[in-house]
Amino acid sequence: MEEKYIMALDQGTTSSRCILFDQHGRIRAAKQREFSQHYPKPGWVEHDPREIWATQLGVAVEAMQLMGITPSEIAAIGITNQRETTVVWDAESGRPVYNAIVWQCRRTAERIDRMKAEGWSKRVQEKTGLIPDAYFSASKVAWILDNVPGVREKAERGELRFGTIDSWLVWNLTGGRVHVTDYTNASRTMLYDIHRLCWDDELLAYFGIPESMLPKVVPSCGVIGYTDCLGGSIPIAGIAGDQQSALFGQCGFEEGAVKSTYGTGGFMLLNTGDQAVGADNGLLTTIAAGSSSVQYALEGSVFVAGAAIQWLRDELQVLKSAPESEQYCRRVPDTGGVYVVPAFTGMGAPYWNPYAKGSIFGLSRGTSRAHLVRATVESLAYQTEDLLQAMRDASGIDIRELRADGGAAANDFLMQFQADISASTIIRPECIETTALGAAYLAGLAVGYWKDEEEIRRMREIGKIFEPAMSSAEREACLGGWKRAVRAALCWADEERRA
Ligand code: ADP
């Protein structure tokens, strides 16, 4: 019998990637292409949707060529994507009416400030699980309708379609036949009621968005259409936003499972099962990717994680490369009392202070490069522990296991320190491409390529497990120092604001 593969399309913020996985969930081919970032004004970020589609299709073709395979050898396609990024296009011609407004874009920040001032925060959170922010799709769609000439009239005539990047790719893959998004992506638009599982009329009316523009919302796992773009018919069978896909790719199927991504920033998701757990400490409630019923997750983010290591390398020039940080960490027995709070862009959950500044505490004449590097690496773990504690508090689940991924998860020192400081087991999988893997799992399950979650769990290869080895007295002392450093950093910011 001829071997078949699952194709994962991983459409990220800076590149489009395609990975072919085999029956064992192993990578057999990977192709990647970067695309242009547009910054038309300070704080504005755009992508050209046609370039996104062209690079995504391009890497899919290249990956197939690399393997020398035809469409009949691909069992299904799974899609995972940068979330929240917004595209509006003409239903007839398929042409975008404006560039994609990227999740990072701040152009609608004032619009959201107004929404908050009008007292919407609580209602938005109750319906969508989100804290009102320019980051989500809602105000971006409204901006396009309000600012691109002729667009509002067309939208009201039912001639336009809105979608996040998954919708845009599916529309193109199916030649305009299918207009859908999945639960996970819908839950990041700030237009979707995550409890009733429907678009919210009140929010649509508030932002002036006609319902005719919206995609149908479908489960993350299931055949939603077929593509002929690769030279033969292939089912599209899985969709999930990147973070939810990574949780699924980490086999975080059950309630209590947590994944923590150590990338440029950090993202943590906790599967809360069929309960949508609310939080008032800066965490978001969102829909997790599930293979059958709808599952929920709590999500929190660290603004600066690996970026702090880049700062050591590029600005301070105390490192030649990010991986070199590990050698410095091991050169000293501790940080010598130094704490780095890398709040370069404010502090997220559970502190929520946009004015906080990066700070270093506890310097002495004996502080060395190694101490500084180690304190910076440790700060990734402290921030992660803060998020984890916020999740424990909100969910009532005593989380003691963390599935790690992302570039900085390659640092064994960091992983061990995380285990120690969180008194938790850290599991780092062999395949750290968990985002693409999640989309592949979803698609493969939908078409019976893999039988069930149990089969996937069995083939999952664990790379390395880190067990806590620090005494509780030492842990308390370390965490106490970190909390003191954060308090001092926040105090600095408060006094600066008052001055
Ligand atoms: P993203 O997907 O967010 O662009 P990655 O998951 O590729 O990021 O991770 C890259 C980040 O990880 C960079 O910020 C880099 O500084 C950091 N990093 C990579 N390797 C290491 C390492 N061995 N130790 C510490 N940090 C690392």
Side-chain angles (χ1 to χ4, degrees):
M1 210 179 76
E2 107 187 321
E3 192 178 3
K4 289 200 176 202
Y5 306 92
I6 298 285
M7 173 180 278
L9 302 180
D10 179 359
Q11 207 304 304
T13 308
T14 57
S15 72
S16 299
R17 304 198 311 148
C18 174
I19 298 186
L20 291 170
F21 291 96
D22 67 16
Q23 192 87 44
H24 306 286
R26 294 203 185 108
I27 295 176
R28 297 293 291 273
K31 280 285 175 184
Q32 172 165 2
R33 263 198 227 170
E34 295 199 356
F35 54 84
S36 328
Q37 308 288 315
H38 301 275
Y39 307 105
K41 289 187 186 179
W44 290 32
V45 190
E46 297 178 0
H47 293 155
D48 180 345
R50 290 162 305 181
E51 195 184 357
I52 287 186
W53 165 237
T55 51
Q56 194 61 73
L57 184 64
V59 289
V61 170
E62 284 169 15
M64 287 172 68
Q65 284 169 347
L66 194 68
M67 292 284 297
I69 57 172
T70 61
S72 65
E73 290 160 86
I74 297 174
I77 294 176
I79 296 173
T80 180
N81 56 290
Q82 53 166 321
R83 304 176 302 172
E84 298 106 12
T85 297
T86 297
V87 190
V88 175
W89 67 93
D90 185 302
E92 187 62 34
S93 68
R95 252 195 300 262
V97 300
Y98 191 78
N99 268 345
I101 302 186
V102 179
W103 58 273
Q104 299 150 321
C105 186
R106 303 305 302 170
R107 81 182 66 195
T108 55
E110 275 177 27
R111 179 81 189 76
I112 296 293
D113 285 344
R114 208 171 347 129
M115 184 181 204
K116 287 184 180 163
E118 289 164 4
W120 276 84
S121 297
K122 191 155 176 284
R123 235 176 317 160
V124 168
Q125 193 164 16
E126 280 167 3
K127 288 166 185 279
T128 68
L130 307 173
I131 299 166
D133 200 288
Y135 190 79
F136 306 112
S137 315
S139 61
K140 300 181 194 291
V141 192
W143 189 93
I144 293 176
L145 292 172
D146 293 340
N147 290 279
V148 184
V151 159
R152 159 122 359 241
E153 295 72 24
K154 287 188 103 181
E156 266 151 23
R157 288 198 301 267
E159 293 169 14
L160 299 184
R161 299 290 175 265
F162 149 73
T164 38
I165 295 296
D166 54 312
S167 303
W168 171 244
L169 292 178
V170 169
W171 174 275
N172 283 285
L173 282 164
T174 59
R177 290 189 302 275
V178 180
H179 184 215
V180 297
T181 188
D182 84 303
Y183 287 129
T184 67
N185 277 292
S187 74
R188 312 296 297 186
T189 58
M190 213 172 87
L191 295 169
Y192 194 69
D193 186 320
I194 61 169
H195 309 284
R196 293 187 300 134
L197 300 177
C198 60
W199 297 111
D200 185 76
D201 290 339
E202 202 186 7
L203 287 170
L204 291 175
Y206 178 77
F207 285 107
I209 300 171
E211 194 152 5
S212 60
M213 295 178 75
L214 302 173
K216 181 176 167 225
V217 184
V218 297
S220 300
C221 179
V223 176
I224 49 98
Y226 292 80
T227 183
D228 295 320
C229 292
L230 296 166
S233 181
I234 309 173
I236 305 166
I239 307 178
D242 52 12
Q243 299 308 320
Q244 284 96 333
S245 189
L247 179 62
F248 202 81
Q250 286 266 27
C251 297
F253 308 139
E254 72 290 338
E255 184 179 332
V258 184
K259 76 95 195 174
S260 181
T261 301
Y262 301 80
T264 309
F267 280 97
M268 189 183 290
L269 254 74
L270 160 68
N271 185 329
T272 59
D274 54 12
Q275 295 292 319
V277 175
D280 52 13
N281 52 6
L283 299 177
L284 304 175
T285 310
T286 197
I287 302 185
S291 65
S292 45
S293 57
V294 167
Q295 292 189 313
Y296 294 92
L298 273 173
E299 174 169 331
S301 47
V302 169
F303 301 149
V304 174
I309 312 297
Q310 289 170 342
W311 169 73
L312 290 178
R313 186 194 60 194
D314 302 337
E315 263 64 46
L316 300 196
Q317 302 185 353
V318 298
L319 293 174
K320 285 198 205 64
S321 69
E324 195 191 23
S325 61
E326 186 165 344
Q327 297 156 33
Y328 282 104
C329 290
R330 293 189 189 285
R331 241 176 246 179
V332 283
D334 53 40
T335 66
V338 175
Y339 286 89
V340 173
V341 182
F344 300 146
T345 51
M347 293 202 78
Y351 308 104
W352 282 104
N353 187 326
Y355 306 101
K357 294 262 170 68
S359 318
I360 304 176
F361 298 96
L363 298 176
S364 68
R365 180 63 186 82
T367 299
S368 68
R369 176 190 306 230
H371 290 121
L372 182 65
V373 171
R374 179 161 170 155
T376 307
V377 171
E378 288 188 358
S379 77
L380 273 60
Y382 284 124
Q383 295 183 94
T384 302
E385 168 55 19
D386 282 344
L387 268 188
L388 201 53
Q389 191 53 46
M391 294 214 171
R392 292 181 188 122
D393 292 343
S395 68
I397 303 174
D398 185 30
I399 307 156
R400 292 295 159 199
E401 190 183 287
L402 208 62
R403 301 155 200 228
D405 52 42
N411 186 319
D412 282 7
F413 171 85
L414 171 62
M415 295 292 99
Q416 183 57 49
F417 190 75
Q418 188 73 68
D420 289 340
I421 220 65
S422 298
S424 299
T425 303
I426 311 297
I427 301 174
R428 186 178 63 200
E430 185 63 40
C431 174
I432 59 160
E433 295 289 355
T434 53
T435 307
L437 194 53
Y441 285 165
L442 288 164
L445 284 168
V447 297
Y449 183 80
W450 291 299
K451 191 165 123 267
D452 53 20
E453 288 175 357
E454 201 37 52
E455 182 183 350
I456 286 177
R457 225 191 288 270
R458 275 200 306 271
M459 73 186 182
R460 175 170 183 240
E461 290 171 291
I462 289 171
K464 201 160 174 181
I465 296 181
F466 300 84
E467 296 288 359
M470 193 183 256
S471 72
S472 56
E474 196 181 344
R475 177 182 318 123
E476 291 310 318
C478 287
L479 283 171
W482 165 253
K483 297 224 168 84
R484 188 148 60 99
V486 171
R487 273 199 306 277
L490 295 177
C491 177
W492 167 275
D494 285 345
E495 287 200 17
E496 188 176 54
R497 277 195 81 207
R498 266 187 260 119

